[in-house]
Each structure stands twice: as structure tokens, then as C-alpha cells.
Amino acid sequence: MLKTVFSIRSIQMATIVNMIIFYAQKIPILNKLITSKLYAQFRIKRWLSIIAIPLSLIWQLVIQLFYYGLAIFLPIQLLGAELTNNEKLVYFYFIFFVFTFVTGAVSSATILEPKRKKYVAIKLFRMNPSDYMKATLLTRYLTFFIFAVPVMLWFTLPLGATVWHVFFLLITATLWRIFSEWVHLQLYKKMQLILIKKVGIVWAIIGISCLLAYGVLIVGIVPTFVTSTIFSIVLSMMGLLGGWACLTLVRYKNYRLVTDAATNYDDPLLDLGKMVTDQQQSGVTLQADDLQLQMTNPKTKRKLEQLSGFEYLNKIFHLRHHKFLRQPLQKKLAGIVIFGMVIIGLTFIIPQQLASNDLFNGRHFSYLFLLLYFLFMSEKTCRAYFYNCDISLLRYSFYRKAAPEHFRIRLRFIIQQNLLIALLFSFVLTTYFTLLNVDFLSSGALHLVVSILSLALFFSIHDLFMYYIFQPYSTDKNVRNPLYQVFSFFVSGLGGIFLVIRLDSFSFASICLGLAFIYSIIAPILVKKYAIRTFRIK
């Protein structure tokens, strides 16, 4: 077992070191010092691996800090500033239970997760699937518990928690997650169902969990049952189920069945060409009728006859993939309409409570950044451009040299999509303010609209700019550029900063407008200068 754990860790560290060397060669100053010969310098790489081990451990601790801090502690501090420490602790336990015992159990399954390291270890290094899975499960849940203990103690002890209760919760949570691994295994054995790949079900559970966890906090219902004796008994029973699942998974022999299921489709070397071809063919077949219907429209024909070059190419692409590009947009617009109907309906039921609530005003504007970050659909459109168009055309130099031209064409299209979302969202919130007889100027509603429209422009430019400068997508349908992930993390982290500093409405709107204005000037210049080299296939 320990030998397998060390082997897996060695593979991970070697992959990390090779990745560091590869991307260090892309940095202008370091590319002259770091050559490809470094890949063969095993002694240097061994020292780099030694350095990488504590860094990876620190990174796991940071992830736990972000999880407990941003997902649990920060919302309680922001939405429940007037609560007592005991009430805050009750909410902390409740949100932790919902996210860890429910959401995590459904959305995560180490046994069936399609991971590249799993493919490398089992398919290329020929590790025994049983040894690999047992070692992986051991390290996964041992580190889950070890790193969660100090972080959870740090957040809960000031609220009045006891050390033994925190240990009890984390031990139970760890055992319950192991039991969920057994459930995922049984679902695959009995029904050939890989639940974590059912994106609709997983995101529905995540959405319901967020509504439940934060809804209770917003409404003000204190879930005191989480500190009751009955709840502790229930948790103990869940822990016993987890202990039984541990023994069952240790004795289980046929791990090759699940490892083949997890590495077969995601195998980047066995049948990549067929996989890409099948997806492209199905995408074209799906939209072929749509293209034919669009082409029969006389107005569309006249517009196409007036276009040429990349304007014509992108127009044809948008027509061919009309349904693919419009369906996500229509779903988000429908979601905003439903949201609007709910809050507008509430204005007739509890108008006084809403009028006194500052949820859509002032300092709560900071939530807009993260909300719109997930609402706007620029990244999905960029992914569609790559896998349905650019994956073939980027092989030609004339197309790469024309990157600034089709960047401008696509930016107009993405801005149009996101502006539809922004305008409808602004209309819904403006109607909400009007029905509550709130003054549009003095209340900050105008700042709200300016913030939404500015962020629509900002995220439209940001995602397309990142696509052209870093081109993160590879032919195996994964993101393979760490710089892209770093900058994406920085932007999402900016939303976290807004939550912490809690700006007033005018300051927040001014920053959003300034970011959009600066980005709109800088992005085209940088794309024109660098995209010819960076916008390429990997």
C-alpha cells in the first residue's frame, strides 16, 4: 500500500515539475536560462520535487481555507452580523452539513472520477487498479480530515465550539464521504450510472443545497437541531455506515471495472481522433437543419451576400450553431424571468419587509460581481469557437495572423449576448424597486444598473481576451494552460475581495465602469500585439 502511495506521489510530482519547466520556458527572461535539457536532469528535478511537495501541501491547506472561509464563514459574517456567536456556530454547522454531507457526497466520487493521473498510473504505468484505488482513497480522505481539522478549529473555536465536537463532525463527515464512494460504486455496478457525469443532476443538487444553506440564513431561521442529541445520534449512525463502507471497499476486488469506466472515454491517447470527429460530426448534424432553415430566409441571404472574409465566416458559424449558442442564453434569460416573477410576487405579499431589507442595495452590490461572473456566458461561447471552428483553422498561419480581426467580430457578438442578459436583469431589478416605491436615484438603483451593464462589457472582453492571449484549450478537451487558470482565479478572487471590503453603491459602480473602460482599450491593443503568437493550437 505505502509503495503504491509513494509511486503515485512520484508520478504527480514529476508531472508538476515538467509542467513548471515547460511554462517557465514561455517567460521571456527565463526562456534563455531554462532549456529542454533540464527535462533530463534527474537530480535537479528530484530537488524541485522535494520543494514541490510542501508547496502542494500548502495549496491543499489554502483550498480548505477558501472553502470554510468563503463558502461558510464569510456569508455568516456578512448576512448575520447581528447574530450571537452561538447562533453563528449553529449556522456554521448547518451549512457545513449541507455542503459536505449532501453536496460533496453527490458531486464527488474518487472511484469514478476521470482523472489524467489515473489514466497515467493504470494505463501507462500498469499499476494494479485495486492497489491504486485503495491508495488513492486512503490519501484522499486522510488528507481531507487532516487539513480540515486546523482550519475548522480556527473558524469555530472563537464562536464557542468544542474541540471534541469538531473532531466528531469531521470524523463523521470523512466516514460518510467514504460511504458515498460505496454508493457511487453500487450505482455503477447495478445501473451502469456514473452520477458525477450527470451534470444536470449534480448542478441541481448544488443549486438546491445553496438555496437551503443560505436561504435559512437569509430568512433568519436558526437550525438549532444541528446541536441536538438526536442529530448527534443520526451522525453517529452515518459514521457507522462509513466504517462499514471502509471495510467493504478494502475487501472489494474488481476495481478494474470502475477504473476502465473512468479512464476509457477520457483516454487522451487511445482514440482521440475518433472522439473529436464524433463530437464535431454530431455538432454539425445537430445544427444542419438550423443552418438550412436560416439560409432559406431571404433577409439572411441578403445579409450574407453583403459580407466577406472573416465577417462571412463568423456569420456562417453563428447561423450553423444558432441553437447551440442560443439555448444556454435562452435558459439564463428564462431563469432571470423566473427570478423576477418571484421577487416581484414577493413585493405584493411582504412589501414592508422587503422595503426595509437592504438586500439589493448599498453594500450588498459586492455580491453582483460573483453572481454575474457565473451568469454571463462568454467562456462557454469561447469554448464553442475553439472546438467547432478554431481547432481546425488554427493550423493555418493566415488565420492566426488575422486574430485581431476576428477578435473584434466575435467580441461584438459576445457583447450582444451578454447585454441581453444584463438588460433583462436590470429591468427585473428596476421593476422591483419601482413596485416598492424606492427612489431610483437616491436608493442606488441607478448605480445597480450601471454596475450590471459595466460588468456585462467587462466579462465579455475578459473571457475572449483570455482565449486569444492564452488559448487554454487543448485537443483532449481540457484546459492545459496554468496561466489561464491563474488569471481566472485572480478575477474570481476579485469578487471575493469585493465581498470583504463591501463598497458602497457609487464606489462599486465606479470601479466596474472603470474596469470595463480600461479593459476595452487595453485588450484590443494586446491582442493585436501578441495574439499572432499566442492564439494557436496545443
Side-chain angles (χ1 to χ4, degrees):
M1 177 72 73
L2 290 177
K3 183 179 179 181
T4 306
V5 171
F6 287 130
S7 298
I8 295 172
R9 200 67 181 171
S10 298
I11 295 172
Q12 291 176 336
M13 290 301 104
T15 303
I16 292 172
V17 170
N18 287 339
M19 185 179 66
I20 292 172
I21 295 172
F22 177 80
Y23 285 104
Q25 291 178 311
K26 305 297 180 182
I27 301 174
I29 299 176
L30 296 179
N31 59 0
K32 296 179 180 179
L33 302 175
I34 300 176
T35 64
S36 298
K37 294 180 180 179
L38 189 57
Y39 287 110
Q41 300 296 324
F42 296 109
R43 182 174 298 178
I44 297 176
K45 290 176 67 176
R46 187 177 293 111
W47 280 106
L48 290 175
S49 298
I50 295 173
I51 298 173
I53 290 174
L55 291 177
S56 66
L57 296 177
I58 293 172
W59 177 245
Q60 292 182 54
L61 185 63
V62 170
I63 292 174
Q64 293 288 345
L65 283 169
F66 270 97
Y67 169 63
Y68 287 96
L70 293 181
I72 304 178
F73 186 77
L74 185 61
I76 295 173
Q77 292 295 105
L78 295 177
L79 298 175
E82 299 178 356
L83 296 173
T84 64
N85 282 346
N86 185 57
E87 290 174 331
K88 289 180 179 179
L89 182 63
V90 169
Y91 280 117
F92 192 99
Y93 286 157
F94 177 72
I95 297 174
F96 170 78
F97 175 79
V98 172
F99 285 162
T100 305
F101 284 77
V102 180
T103 310
V106 173
S107 61
S108 176
T110 304
I111 287 180
L112 287 164
E113 275 182 339
K115 292 288 187 180
R116 180 176 291 269
K117 64 179 182 180
K118 185 183 292 186
Y119 167 80
V120 171
I122 295 175
K123 297 292 185 179
L124 299 184
F125 282 81
R126 304 296 182 185
M127 282 189 182
N128 184 287
S130 180
D131 293 340
Y132 173 85
M133 287 310 310
K134 290 175 184 177
T136 302
L137 289 170
L138 174 65
T139 55
R140 167 74 177 88
Y141 289 105
L142 189 60
T143 55
F144 171 84
F145 175 77
I146 291 174
F147 287 108
V149 167
V151 176
M152 193 166 179
L153 286 173
W154 188 47
F155 283 113
T156 57
L157 285 181
L159 300 178
T162 58
V163 175
W164 77 265
H165 195 256
V166 170
F167 269 86
F168 171 70
L169 273 177
L170 289 176
I171 291 172
T172 307
T174 304
L175 292 172
W176 177 253
R177 293 290 291 273
I178 295 173
F179 177 75
S180 70
E181 295 278 355
W182 177 83
V183 173
H184 282 279
L185 175 62
Q186 296 306 309
L187 285 174
Y188 181 74
K189 285 175 61 180
K190 304 294 184 182
M191 304 170 58
Q192 297 296 303
L193 173 63
I194 302 179
L195 185 59
I196 58 174
K197 288 189 177 182
K198 301 296 180 181
V199 180
I201 297 175
V202 171
W203 278 103
I205 296 296
I206 293 174
I208 294 171
S209 299
C210 290
L211 287 175
L212 178 61
Y214 299 132
V216 169
L217 179 61
I218 293 171
V219 174
I221 301 173
V222 182
T224 54
F225 69 90
V226 296
T227 57
S228 64
T229 304
I230 296 176
F231 189 72
S232 298
I233 295 172
V234 172
L235 289 179
S236 300
M237 295 175 64
M238 297 171 74
L240 291 175
L241 287 174
W244 171 81
C246 287
L247 297 175
T248 305
L249 291 174
V250 168
R251 295 171 182 172
Y252 186 69
K253 302 298 183 182
N254 194 18
Y255 277 106
R256 183 168 294 278
L257 175 70
V258 290
T259 55
D260 286 345
T263 58
N264 192 23
Y265 180 81
D266 292 53
D267 181 345
L269 300 175
L270 284 178
D271 207 3
L272 171 64
K274 184 177 184 299
M275 184 176 68
V276 174
T277 303
D278 289 346
Q279 177 164 340
Q280 290 178 333
Q281 184 178 358
S282 62
V284 173
T285 303
L286 179 65
Q287 309 300 337
D289 294 338
D290 183 47
L291 174 62
Q292 189 174 2
L293 290 173
Q294 294 286 340
M295 292 296 292
T296 57
N297 188 334
K299 187 181 293 186
T300 303
K301 283 186 176 181
R302 286 195 297 271
K303 287 183 179 179
L304 286 174
E305 290 172 356
Q306 297 172 1
L307 300 176
S308 61
F310 291 107
E311 289 276 5
Y312 178 81
L313 172 67
N314 281 276
K315 186 64 177 179
I316 287 291
F317 175 84
H318 295 148
L319 289 173
R320 166 166 281 178
H321 299 85
H322 177 77
K323 290 180 181 177
F324 176 80
L325 294 171
R326 289 293 177 182
Q327 282 178 354
L329 176 63
Q330 291 168 354
K331 290 178 181 178
K332 292 186 178 183
L333 293 176
I336 294 173
V337 170
I338 295 172
F339 168 75
M341 292 172 64
V342 171
I343 64 170
I344 291 172
L346 290 175
T347 60
F348 294 99
I349 301 172
I350 49 173
Q352 295 180 351
Q353 292 89 330
L354 291 176
S356 61
N357 196 332
D358 201 32
L359 185 59
F360 290 106
N361 201 355
R363 298 183 185 277
H364 288 89
F365 274 32
S366 301
Y367 290 97
L368 271 178
F369 192 90
L370 286 178
L371 174 64
L372 298 179
Y373 177 77
F374 294 105
L375 186 60
F376 291 132
M377 53 181 298
S378 312
E379 193 275 336
K380 186 177 181 65
T381 305
C382 293
R383 190 183 292 268
Y385 280 134
F386 179 76
Y387 289 120
N388 295 280
C389 179
D390 297 343
I391 195 171
S392 299
L393 291 175
L394 280 175
R395 302 179 188 278
Y396 302 100
S397 60
F398 79 90
Y399 189 73
R400 297 193 298 271
K401 290 178 181 178
E405 183 179 350
H406 41 80
F407 171 83
R408 291 191 297 270
I409 296 169
R410 291 172 171 181
L411 181 60
R412 290 199 302 267
F413 177 79
I414 292 176
I415 289 175
Q416 290 173 5
Q417 285 189 313
N418 286 336
L419 274 181
L420 285 174
I421 298 174
L423 289 172
L424 181 59
F425 194 42
S426 301
F427 174 76
V428 166
L429 295 181
T430 302
T431 305
Y432 170 84
F433 279 114
T434 303
L435 292 174
L436 290 178
N437 296 318
V438 176
D439 184 71
F440 193 77
L441 295 177
S442 62
S443 66
L446 179 61
H447 300 152
L448 175 67
V449 174
V450 171
S451 300
I452 294 172
L453 296 177
S454 300
L455 288 175
L457 178 61
F458 172 80
F459 286 120
S460 300
I461 299 171
H462 171 72
D463 288 320
L464 192 65
F465 170 77
M466 296 277 283
Y467 173 50
Y468 272 77
I469 292 298
F470 297 112
Q471 206 303 85
Y473 310 116
S474 61
T475 53
D476 61 357
K477 306 196 179 303
N478 288 306
V479 175
R480 286 285 171 256
N481 194 329
L483 292 177
Y484 174 85
Q485 295 173 329
V486 168
F487 277 90
S488 298
F489 179 78
F490 172 77
V491 172
S492 59
L494 187 61
I497 294 173
F498 283 136
L499 290 178
V500 174
I501 59 178
R502 302 179 69 184
L503 298 169
D504 60 87
S505 60
F506 176 76
S507 300
F508 182 78
S510 301
I511 290 176
C512 292
L513 185 61
L515 287 173
F517 177 73
I518 294 171
Y519 221 158
S520 64
I521 295 175
I522 294 177
I525 297 174
L526 294 179
V527 168
K528 184 177 181 180
K529 185 175 182 180
Y530 296 109
I532 296 175
R533 297 194 302 272
T534 60
F535 191 52
R536 57 188 178 83
I537 198 165
K538 296 180 176 63

